[in-house]
C-alpha cells in the first residue's frame, strides 16, 4: 500500500506593533518581567480593552497580500480556558467572523509553483509566559496582550519539505509587509503542525494529529518526518490513529502524546462583549492596498527583467527586502549587473553565511561593493586580488580604493614590465620550455603561474598569456 501525508499548518506571527493589542503597554521583548503591564493586560476586573488600530492594518496588509477576502464585518470572541499565564481566564481571539478569509500562498517546488489555500487569518492576544525554576514557577505578563496573527492553512501541503517551504514563504511575506520579524527561534513566529496519512488513492482525509511546541524550521520538518513515519507504521500494523495533540521533543527527536485533542466547543467561544464589532469600510482597505510595498514575487520578476538575472538568482536576492535593497543599491552605483550578481553569490553571501550574519549587521555600504567591482571592471585590479581586498574590507570597512592604493595592488598592465618577468621565467625553466616545444602545450599554465607569483598576482592575465605565447614561439 502506498501512503501519502496531508499537512495543514497554523502559524502564529507576532505582530510588530509598538504597543499591545488592547492597551498601550509596550511590546518590547527582553525587559525585566512584568514591567510592561497595566490593569488591562493583567486582566483586572472591570477594565475595558481598546483595539489597537495598527493591529487591524497589519492584518489587512496580510490579507491583501494573500489574495484573501477581507471581512467588512468581523468580531472578537472569547476563547475560555484556565491557565496560570492567562489572568482573565479567557483569551480574546476571533472565531466565527475572522478579519481575513480564504486566499492562498504560492510556494516554489522543484516541479513548479503550487498554491496553498488559506482557511483564515485572525487577530488575537498572546498569553503571558511561565518561567519554571526547580520547584517554583513564575509568571511574566510582559507578553500578555501582545498581538498575534494566526494564519491557518488548508490541508494542502503534502510533504515536510512543502511545509518548510510554506513557512519560509510566510516568513518572507510578513517581513516584506513589515508586520512581523518572523523569527521562529525568538518565538515571534510559532507553528502548530496538523498531519494525517491516507492511502494514495483515498480521497477522504485521515485522522489528524496536531504537533505543538516546534520552534524552528528545521524542527518542523523533522517533527513531520517522524510523525508521518509513526502514523504509517501504526496503520500498517492494523492500528488506528487517535486524534490528539502531541509535543515535539527536540532532544529525543520524537513526538509524544500530550493530551487528547480539545474540541472547539470546549472553549465555550462567544462574542467578546467588551469590544464593538469591527467594521472595515472600502476606503480603509483601499488605502492599505495602495500603500502596499512591492512584495517578493513581484520584485523577483522585476529583477529578472531589469537586471537580467535568472529566476533562481533573483529569488535568492529577493529573499528579504533588506538584501534586495542592498543588491539594487549596488546596481545603482555600478551597472555590471552580472558581475554584481556573481560577486554577491560567490563572496558576499558566503561571508554572511559563514558568520551567521544578517544583511542588517553588515557595515559595508552597497557603494563600497560597487567601487570594488568597478576597480575589477576597469582592470585596475584582478578578480583574484579583489577577493583579498574584499576580505580586508569586510574586516576593516575601509574603501577598496584605499586598500588597493596602500598595498600597491594595482594591476600591472605595462607590457615591458611583464615581458621582463616572462623572460626571467623562461630562462629559469629551460626544461619546461623544452616540454612545450615538444608539444606539451599545457605547461603554459605553469609558466603563467610563475609570472603571477613574481608579480604577487598583480599581472594582467590576458597580457601575461599573450606575451608568454609570443616569447615561446
Ligand atoms: P480543529 O477544529 O481541530 O482546530 P481545523 O479544521 O480548524 O481543526 O483545522 C486546523 C488545521 O488542521 C488546519 O490547518 C487544517 O488545514 C488542518 N487539517 C484539518 N484536517 C486535517 C487532516 N485530516 N490532516 C491534516 N491536516 C488537517
Ligand atoms: Mg484549530
Ligand atoms: Zn497593558
Amino acid at each position: 500500500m502506498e501512503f501519502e501525508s496531508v499537512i495543514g499548518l497554523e502559524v502564529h506571527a507576532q505582530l510588530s506593533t509598538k504597543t499591545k493589542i488592547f492597551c498601550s503597554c509596550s511590546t518590547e521583548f527582553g525587559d525585566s518581567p512584568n514591567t510592561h503591564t497595566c490593569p488591562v493586560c493583567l486582566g483586572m476586573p472591570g477594565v475595558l480593552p481598546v483595539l489597537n488600530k495598527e493591529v487591524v492594518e497589519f492584518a489587512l496588509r496580510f490579507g491583501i497580500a494573500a489574495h484573501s477576502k477581507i471581512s467588512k464585518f468581523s468580531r472578537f470572541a472569547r476563547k475560555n480556558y484556565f491557565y496560570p499565564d492567562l489572568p482573565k481566564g479567557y483569551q480574546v481571539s476571533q472565531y466565527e467572523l475572522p478579519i481575513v478569509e480564504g486566499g492562498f500562498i504560492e510556494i516554489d517546488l522543484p516541479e513548479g509553483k503550487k498554491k496553498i489555500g488559506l482557511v483564515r487569518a485572525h487577530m488575537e492576544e498572546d498569553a503571558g509566559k511561565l518561567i519554571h525554576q526547580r520547584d517554583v514557577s513564575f509568571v511574566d505578563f510582559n507578553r500578555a496582550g501582545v498581538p498575534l496573527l494566526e494564519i491557518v492553512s488548508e490541508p494542502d501541503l503534502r510533504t515536510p519539505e512543502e511545509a518548510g517551504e510554506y513557512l519560509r514563504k510566510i516568513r518572507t511575506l510578513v517581513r516584506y509587509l513589515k508586520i512581523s520579524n518572523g523569527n521562529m527561534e525568538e518565538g515571534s513566529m510559532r507553528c502548530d503542525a496538523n498531519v494525517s496519512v491516507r492511502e494514495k488513492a483515498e480521497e477522504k482525509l485521515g485522522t489528524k494529529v496536531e504537533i505543538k511546541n516546534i520552534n524552528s524550521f528545521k524542527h518542523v520538518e523533522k517533527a513531520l518526518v517522524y510523525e508521518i513515519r509513526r502514523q504509517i507504521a501504526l496503520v500498517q500494523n492494523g492500528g488506528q490513529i487517535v486524534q490528539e495533540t502531541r509535543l515535539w521533543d527536540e532532544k529525543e527527536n520524537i513526538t509524544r502524546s500530550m493530551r487528547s485533542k480539545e474540541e472547539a466547543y470546549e472553549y465555550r467561544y462567544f462574542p467578546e462583549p467588551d469590544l464593538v464589532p469591527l467594521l472595515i469600510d472600502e476606503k480603509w482597505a483601499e488605502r492599505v492596498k495602495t500603500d502596499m510595498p512591492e512584495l517578493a514575487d513581484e520584485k523577483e520578476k522585476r529583477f529578472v527583467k531589469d537586471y537580467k538575472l535568472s529566476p533562481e538568482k533573483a529569488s535568492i536576492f529577493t529573499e528579504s527586502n533588506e538584501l534586495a535593497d542592498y543588491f539594487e543599491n549596488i546596481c545603482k552605483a555600478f551597472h555590471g549587473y552580472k558581475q554584481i550578481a556573481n560577486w554577491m553569490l560567490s563572496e558576499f553571501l558566503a561571508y554572511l553565511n559563514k558568520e551567521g550574519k544578517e544583511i542588517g549587521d553588515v557595515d559595508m555600504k552597497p557603494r563600497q561593493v560597487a567601487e570594488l567591482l568597478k576597480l575589477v571592471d576597469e582592470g585596475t585590479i584582478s578578480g583574484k586580488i579583489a577577493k583579498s581586498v574584499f576580505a580586508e574590507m569586510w574586516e576593516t570597512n575601509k574603501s577598496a580604493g584605499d586598500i588597493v592604493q596602500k598595498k600597491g595592488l594595482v594591476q600591472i598592465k605595462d607590457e615591458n614590465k611583464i615581458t621582463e618577468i616572462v623572460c626571467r621565467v623562461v630562462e629559469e625553466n629551460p626544461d619546461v620550455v623544452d616540454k612545450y616545444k615538444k608539444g606539451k602545450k599545457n605547461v603554459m599554465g605553469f609558466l603563467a603561474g610563475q609570472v603571477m607569483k613574481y608579480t604577487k598576482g598583480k599581472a594582467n592575465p590576458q597580457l601575461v598569456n599573450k606575451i608568454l605565447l609570443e616569447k615561446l614561439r
Side-chain angles (χ1 to χ4, degrees):
M1 252 192 278
E2 231 199 305
F3 287 91
E4 79 170 349
S5 47
V6 173
I7 301 162
L9 298 183
E10 292 165 279
V11 174
H12 290 86
Q14 184 183 315
L15 298 176
S16 47
T17 54
K18 284 211 172 54
T19 57
K20 294 185 178 180
I21 183 169
F22 300 124
C23 63
S24 48
C25 289
S26 164
T27 55
E28 195 65 40
F29 177 80
D31 285 337
S32 299
N34 298 308
T35 50
H36 301 311
T37 55
C38 74
V40 174
C41 54
L42 286 174
M44 296 294 162
V47 294
L48 291 171
V50 177
L51 178 58
N52 182 341
K53 189 172 176 183
E54 198 168 36
V55 173
V56 180
E57 298 237 341
F58 283 11
L60 290 178
R61 257 189 237 171
F62 177 83
I64 291 166
H67 324 275
S68 313
K69 175 182 157 276
I70 304 295
S71 309
K72 294 207 167 58
F73 182 96
S74 77
R75 127 170 114 194
F76 286 92
R78 287 189 185 180
K79 180 179 184 182
N80 300 282
Y81 63 94
F82 173 82
Y83 210 70
D85 63 14
L86 191 74
K88 298 193 294 282
Y90 58 84
Q91 178 191 22
V92 179
S93 179
Q94 296 195 293
Y95 185 55
E96 82 301 3
L97 295 170
I99 183 164
V100 167
E101 285 182 284
F104 62 88
I105 301 284
E106 197 167 58
I107 62 172
D108 296 297
L109 300 174
E111 61 270 23
K113 293 195 184 292
K114 177 174 173 182
K115 282 184 180 141
I116 307 302
L118 296 181
V119 180
R120 56 192 274 149
H122 66 253
M123 304 171 281
E124 61 184 25
E125 59 179 345
D126 206 346
K129 195 175 159 187
L130 290 178
I131 299 156
H132 305 287
Q133 281 176 10
R134 276 192 230 114
D135 51 354
V136 203
S137 291
F138 300 92
V139 59
D140 175 7
F141 288 111
N142 282 353
R143 208 179 66 183
V146 164
L148 302 176
L149 187 68
E150 177 170 343
I151 304 156
V152 183
S153 87
E154 293 284 356
D156 287 348
L157 299 156
R158 287 292 167 271
T159 62
E161 295 77 44
E162 287 185 16
E165 185 56 26
Y166 169 83
L167 278 177
R168 276 182 280 275
K169 259 285 158 84
I170 298 251
R171 178 178 63 181
T172 303
L173 181 59
V174 297
R175 285 180 176 173
Y176 262 92
L177 293 170
K178 297 199 164 59
I179 63 174
S180 172
N181 73 26
N183 205 324
M184 263 192 114
E185 283 71 17
E186 284 172 11
S188 30
M189 202 167 110
R190 284 168 259 159
C191 162
D192 300 333
N194 299 271
V195 55
S196 62
V197 297
R198 64 178 172 194
E199 264 182 67
K200 259 236 159 98
E202 181 67 66
E203 267 187 41
K204 224 179 101 225
L205 292 178
T207 303
K208 77 176 195 297
V209 161
E210 181 173 1
I211 317 170
K212 283 197 184 287
N213 213 22
I214 335 179
N215 56 15
S216 77
F217 283 84
K218 199 176 74 204
H219 285 296
V220 170
E221 292 186 42
K222 273 182 152 179
L224 284 168
V225 168
Y226 173 87
E227 183 58 23
I228 291 164
R229 266 201 216 127
R230 185 190 72 86
Q231 290 186 16
I232 291 175
L234 189 63
V235 175
Q236 278 176 332
N237 291 319
Q240 259 198 338
I241 311 288
V242 285
Q243 185 164 335
E244 63 179 348
T245 302
R246 295 177 76 88
L247 280 184
W248 171 242
D249 180 334
E250 61 175 58
K251 287 203 189 75
E252 303 279 331
N253 276 320
I254 56 170
T255 62
R256 292 177 193 284
S257 182
M258 174 165 98
R259 54 167 191 240
S260 66
K261 166 84 179 131
E262 72 283 5
E263 298 293 339
Y265 65 78
E266 295 179 89
Y267 288 117
R268 305 293 191 276
Y269 278 102
F270 63 83
E272 168 59 64
D274 287 345
L275 287 162
V276 289
L278 177 61
L279 302 178
I280 291 163
D281 61 25
E282 208 74 52
K283 265 201 206 124
W284 191 4
E286 267 315 307
R287 212 197 63 234
V288 174
K289 200 169 186 169
T290 35
D291 291 348
M292 276 295 232
E294 181 186 37
L295 298 178
D297 292 342
E298 296 165 57
K299 217 186 260 296
E300 186 184 314
K301 281 190 201 119
R302 187 167 62 76
F303 276 21
V304 169
K305 196 168 133 264
D306 290 359
Y307 305 119
K308 311 275 176 290
L309 301 181
S310 67
E312 291 74 28
K313 282 186 186 162
S315 95
I316 294 172
F317 296 141
T318 54
E319 212 164 85
S320 83
N321 201 13
E322 289 74 22
L323 181 62
D325 282 351
Y326 198 97
F327 174 80
E328 277 211 286
N329 284 328
I330 306 176
C331 293
K332 275 182 198 146
F334 172 55
H335 299 308
Y337 306 139
K338 201 170 164 191
Q339 288 105 296
I340 297 171
N342 289 339
W343 189 267
M344 288 300 279
L345 285 176
S346 65
E347 299 294 315
F348 196 97
L349 294 181
Y351 273 74
L352 267 191
N353 280 338
K354 202 172 66 196
E355 300 187 5
K357 282 187 173 174
E358 303 269 348
I359 187 82
D361 308 327
V362 176
D363 292 326
M364 198 188 297
K365 298 275 175 297
R367 58 174 165 70
Q368 290 176 278
V369 182
E371 186 197 351
L372 174 71
L373 296 181
K374 263 191 223 164
L375 290 175
V376 179
D377 195 53
E378 297 156 2
T380 307
I381 56 172
S382 68
K384 204 166 157 203
I385 294 282
K387 286 186 185 184
S388 69
V389 173
F390 184 74
E392 188 165 340
M393 288 168 72
W394 190 270
E395 288 302 322
T396 63
N397 205 24
K398 283 191 196 138
S399 84
D402 278 354
I403 296 169
V404 169
Q405 281 301 317
K406 281 216 181 74
K407 296 206 154 171
L409 300 173
V410 175
Q411 199 170 51
I412 303 169
K413 285 190 286 191
D414 178 342
E415 298 209 12
N416 292 333
K417 207 163 186 176
I418 295 176
T419 309
E420 209 177 280
I421 297 161
V422 166
C423 291
R424 190 152 118 210
V425 168
V426 167
E427 266 168 41
E428 284 174 359
N429 295 283
D431 45 337
V432 182
V433 173
D434 213 43
K435 276 189 195 151
Y436 181 86
K437 283 185 185 149
K438 288 188 180 132
K440 271 198 89 176
K441 302 289 181 213
N442 61 1
V443 298
M444 257 290 283
F446 170 79
L447 295 169
Q450 291 301 105
V451 176
M452 281 310 205
K453 216 165 135 191
Y454 276 123
T455 60
K456 299 205 171 67
K458 288 187 294 188
N460 176 297
Q462 285 81 32
L463 282 179
V464 170
N465 278 331
K466 189 186 110 200
I467 294 168
L468 192 57
L469 214 61
E470 283 166 6
K471 182 79 189 159
L472 289 172
R473 280 202 194 111

